[in-house]
Every structure is written in structure tokens, then in C-alpha cells.
Amino acid sequence: MINEMTYDEILKASQDMKNCCQVISHLIQNKDIPDLVDFIESVENYTKYLDSTIELMMAADKALKGLVELKK
């Protein structure tokens, strides 16, 4: 959990952003809008960052859970 969002909620938001990027990319095909293309690429990079961060945090939670159990 990050703040009040669960990992699954964050991953769903990331997927929603990816889907929106695909729709926008499709709509602007063959149009000369470089600023929007750059924005879409930035959002796509952010979704990759979110996905990898959540994956890392889930692995850390799993490792910490194992360590807590060993300490008992």
C-alpha cells in the first residue's frame, strides 16, 4: 500500500493510463503534434516506472514478511 492506495489500485491506474495513451496515439496518427507525442511518451514512461516500482515494493514486502517470521 502506498498512502491510501493499494498496489492493485496503482497497477489498475497505470493500465488505464496505458490504454488512454494507446487511444490518443491512434487518434493522432499522421498528425504533426510533436508536443502531444512527447507527452504520451512521458506518460508511458511513467507507467513503466509505476509498474516496476510496485513490483519492487511487493518483493520487498514479501522479503520483510519472511524476516519478521524468522524473528518470531
Side-chain angles (χ1 to χ4, degrees):
M1 181 175 267
I2 299 176
N3 289 330
E4 295 185 17
M5 290 183 76
T6 66
Y7 295 149
D8 288 336
E9 290 172 330
I10 295 169
L11 290 173
K12 183 181 180 326
S14 175
Q15 186 60 47
D16 289 345
M17 286 188 280
K18 289 176 195 172
N19 292 342
C20 290
C21 285
Q22 288 177 348
V23 169
I24 294 168
S25 292
H26 179 71
L27 291 172
I28 65 168
Q29 272 183 338
N30 302 322
K31 302 212 179 5
D32 186 28
I33 313 173
D35 289 342
L36 186 53
V37 171
D38 288 344
F39 177 75
I40 292 168
E41 289 174 0
S42 295
V43 172
E44 289 172 336
N45 287 333
Y46 182 64
T47 62
K48 291 174 187 174
Y49 165 79
L50 283 176
D51 294 347
S52 62
T53 299
I54 296 304
E55 184 179 330
L56 180 65
M57 293 180 86
M58 290 171 71
D61 286 349
K62 186 177 179 180
L64 287 173
K65 183 179 178 183
L67 290 173
V68 168
E69 290 176 9
L70 285 174
K71 189 174 179 178
K72 290 182 183 180

